[in-house]
C-alpha cells in the first residue's frame, strides 16, 4: 500500500534496524533497532543488511548478516525472532527470503563454522540447507539439506510445473528442485562454481541460472527431473558475458542480463543464442528491473540506463542520481524506489522537474 520498508545496520553489524517510510513523501514513520548482535564477518562488497525484506501485508520479514531472521508488524513490534547459531559465511549473508503460502523460505549456503577459508569455499561440504519457517510463529516447518555444495547467495523461486509447485534453488556447484510443502529434494543438476549470486528466473518452461567463480556459466535447465539429472536436463549453456552479481530478467521469450562491467546482453531464452550485446558503461552490482516493457539498469555511480525489452537494442533514456548505488530498484504503484549508500529516492511521473 503506502509503506516502504528498508533494512539497515550499523557499519559493524551489531545494531540491526528496520525503517518504515511514507511512500508519498519519504517521511520516516519509524526507525527501530530490532536486535543487537556480535559483529559478523563479511566482504567489503556486502553489507550487514543486504537481504531484501518481504511482506505479506501484515508482517515484514527481514534477514541480517549472521543468519538471524525477524518478523515485525507495521508498527515495528517484533512478532518472532529466529536464528540458527551454526550459520557462518566468509562473504556475509546476501540471499533474500521468499514467501510461499504460510511459509517463509530461506536458503543458508554458508561455510563450515571453523575452516571457512576451505570448507564450503574451496571444498564442497554437506552443511548447507534451506529452512522453511511458519510465517506466523517462526517455528520450523522443514529443513532441507543440499548434499555437497559450496557457498552462495541465490534467492530461490517457487514455480508451478506440470500443475505442481516446485521450489528451485541454486547454490555453489548445484541447482536443485524441492517440494516446497515438505522440503523433499526432487532433482539436482551440477553447476560448478562458488559464490553464486544471481537469483533464479523462470520462463518458457525453463529455469535460468548461473554458476559462480571458477567456472561462470549461464544454464537453462528443465525442472522435470528426478534425482541426478545433469546429463539429461540442461537445455543450453552459455559462457559469454556471465553476470556474477546482477540477476537475469525474462520477458517475452528473451533473457536479459547485465554484467558487472556494464555489458548488457539479450539472449533467446529457448536457444541461448545472443540476440544483441551492448556496452552500457559503468560498473553494476544491482539487478536490472522491468516495468511496462522497459529495463531499468542502475549503475553503482547512480546513473540508470533505460532500454527497451525487445529483440532490438534501443536506449530510451539515461538518468543520474547522487551516491553509491548497489541495491536493486523496487517498483510499485507507479513509483521507482532507489537506494543509495546514504539516501532513498522515489521517482514517479508528474513529480516535477
Amino acid at each position: 500500500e503506502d509503506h516502504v520498508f528498508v533494512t539497515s545496520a550499523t557499519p559493524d553489524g551489531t545494531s540491526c534496524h528496520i525503517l518504515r517510510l511514507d511512500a508519498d513523501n519519504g517521511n520516516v514513520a519509524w526507525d527501530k533497532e530490532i536486535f543487537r548482535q556480535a559483529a559478523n564477518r563479511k566482504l567489503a562488497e556486502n553489507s550487514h543488511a543486504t537481504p531484501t525484506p518481504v511482506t505479506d501485508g501484515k508482517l515484514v520479514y527481514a534477514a541480517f548478516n549472521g543468519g538471524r531472521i525477524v518478523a515485525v508488524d507495521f508498527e515495528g513490534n517484533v512478532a518472532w525472532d529466529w536464528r540458527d547459531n551454526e550459520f557462518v559465511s566468509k562473504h556475509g549473508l546476501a540471499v533474500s527470503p521468499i514467501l510461499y503460502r504460510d511459509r517463509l523460505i530461506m536458503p543458508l549456503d554458508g561455510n563450515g563454522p571453523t575452516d571457512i577459508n576451505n570448507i564450503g569455499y574451496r571444498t564442497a561440504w554437506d552443511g548447507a540447507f534451506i529452512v522453511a519457517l511458519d510465517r506466523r510463529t517462526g517455528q520450523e516447518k522443514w529443513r532441507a539439506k543440499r548434499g555437497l555444495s559450496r557457498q552462495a547467495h541465490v534467492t530461490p523461486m517457487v514455480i508451478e510445473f506440470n500443475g505442481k509447485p516446485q521450489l528451485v534453488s541454486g547454490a555453489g556447484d548445484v541447482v536443485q528442485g524441492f517440494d516446497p510443502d515438505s522440503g523433499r529434494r526432487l532433482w539436482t543438476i551440477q553447476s560448478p562454481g562458488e559464490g553464486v549470486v544471481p537469483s533464479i528466473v523462470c520462463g518458457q518452461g525453463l529455469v535460468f541460472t548461473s554458476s559462480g567463480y571458477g567456472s561462470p556459466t549461464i544454464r537453462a535447465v528443465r525442472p522435470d527431473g528426478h534425482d541426478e539429472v545433469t546429463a539429461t536436463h540442461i537445455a543450453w549453456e552459455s559462457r559469454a558475458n556471465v553476470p556474477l552479481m546482477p540477476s537475469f530478467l525474462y520477458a517475452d521469450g528473451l533473457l536479459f542480463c547485465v554484467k558487472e562491467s556494464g555489458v548488457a546482453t539479450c539472449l533467446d531464452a529457448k536457444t541461448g543464442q545472443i540476440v544483441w550485446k551492448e556496452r552500457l558503461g559503468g560498473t553494476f552490482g544491482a539487478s536490472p528491473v522491468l516495468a511496462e516493457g522497459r529495463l531499468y539498469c542502475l549503475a553503482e555511480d547512480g546513473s540508470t540506463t533505460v532500454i527497451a525489452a525487445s529483440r532490438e537494442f534501443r536506449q530510451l533514456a539515461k538518468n543520474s542520481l547522487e551516491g553509491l548505488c548497489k541495491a536493486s530498484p523496487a517498483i510499485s504503484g507507479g513509483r521507482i524506489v532507489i537506494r543509495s549508500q546514504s539516501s532513498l529516492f522515489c521517482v514517479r511521473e508528474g513529480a516535477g522537474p
Side-chain angles (χ1 to χ4, degrees):
E1 296 179 354
D2 57 351
H3 306 302
V4 176
F5 295 96
V6 178
T7 56
S8 187
T10 51
D12 63 358
T14 58
S15 177
C16 296
H17 290 242
I18 299 177
L19 294 77
R20 194 191 85 193
L21 297 89
D22 189 298
D24 289 325
N25 53 39
N27 290 337
V28 178
W30 46 260
D31 174 357
K32 295 191 177 181
E33 180 184 76
I34 304 303
F35 60 80
R36 297 186 70 84
Q37 62 180 0
N40 290 292
R41 182 190 178 106
K42 71 173 184 64
L43 294 184
E45 295 85 352
N46 201 2
S47 86
H48 292 285
T50 296
T52 302
V54 64
T55 180
D56 58 7
K58 296 180 180 179
L59 296 175
V60 177
Y61 308 90
F64 294 87
N65 191 22
R68 193 164 174 175
I69 304 172
V70 294
V72 302
D73 64 20
F74 278 24
E75 298 306 318
N77 302 306
V78 175
W80 53 258
D81 183 340
W82 179 92
R83 182 169 189 176
D84 181 274
N85 291 316
E86 294 300 313
F87 180 76
V88 176
S89 175
K90 175 184 175 69
H91 291 170
L93 186 68
V95 66
S96 300
I98 64 168
L99 286 169
Y100 165 73
R101 294 181 179 170
D102 64 343
R103 283 142 205 218
L104 184 80
I105 298 175
M106 180 77 174
L108 291 164
D109 293 295
N111 302 101
T114 54
D115 189 4
I116 63 173
N117 289 314
N118 181 28
I119 304 301
Y121 171 43
R122 293 187 176 89
T123 304
W125 73 317
D126 63 358
F129 63 93
I130 306 170
V131 66
L133 307 176
D134 186 299
R135 63 182 173 87
R136 294 178 294 267
T137 66
Q139 296 297 308
E140 284 193 26
K141 303 287 282 188
W142 52 256
R143 181 178 293 214
K145 299 297 290 288
R146 288 201 183 276
L148 291 176
S149 67
R150 289 190 287 170
Q151 62 186 354
H153 315 280
V154 182
T155 299
M157 185 180 192
V158 175
I159 65 172
E160 185 171 302
F161 196 82
N162 290 336
K164 294 182 179 180
Q166 186 178 139
L167 173 72
V168 183
S169 180
D173 295 340
V174 295
V175 181
Q176 298 171 314
F178 296 85
D179 181 335
D181 292 307
S182 67
R184 180 172 64 91
R185 190 165 73 233
L186 305 174
W187 54 265
T188 294
I189 283 178
Q190 299 302 311
S191 184
E194 59 84 26
V196 193
V197 177
S199 303
I200 296 295
V201 175
C202 168
Q204 291 191 323
L206 296 173
V207 170
F208 305 104
T209 71
S210 69
S211 55
Y213 293 87
S215 184
T217 305
I218 302 171
R219 287 184 174 86
V221 304
R222 293 185 294 273
D224 60 346
H226 298 281
D227 299 323
E228 168 60 55
V229 290
T230 306
T232 56
H233 281 67
I234 297 176
W236 56 261
E237 296 181 342
S238 174
R239 291 179 172 82
N241 303 306
V242 181
L244 293 174
M245 285 195 290
S247 299
F248 305 105
L249 271 177
Y250 171 84
D252 298 328
L254 299 173
L255 189 68
F256 300 93
C257 57
V258 179
K259 191 167 173 54
E260 300 74 35
S261 59
V263 176
T265 307
C266 171
L267 304 171
D268 184 293
K270 187 173 290 186
T271 66
Q273 294 298 309
I274 295 177
V275 178
W276 54 254
K277 180 178 70 173
E278 298 288 340
R279 184 171 293 278
L280 304 182
T283 302
F284 289 77
S287 299
V289 293
L290 177 71
E292 298 180 352
R294 297 185 290 271
L295 271 66
Y296 295 82
C297 308
L298 176 64
E300 290 189 359
D301 65 1
S303 63
T304 298
T305 303
V306 186
I307 59 179
S310 68
R311 299 187 73 89
E312 176 188 357
F313 178 80
R314 287 186 292 128
Q315 181 173 313
L316 306 176
K318 193 157 190 173
N319 309 291
S320 296
L321 297 171
E322 293 183 357
L324 176 65
C325 295
K326 292 194 173 187
S328 304
I331 295 182
S332 179
R335 305 177 182 91
I336 305 175
V337 180
I338 298 174
R339 177 180 183 160
S340 75
Q341 191 172 37
S342 58
S343 301
L344 196 66
F345 301 91
C346 178
V347 180
R348 62 179 172 85
E349 187 176 13

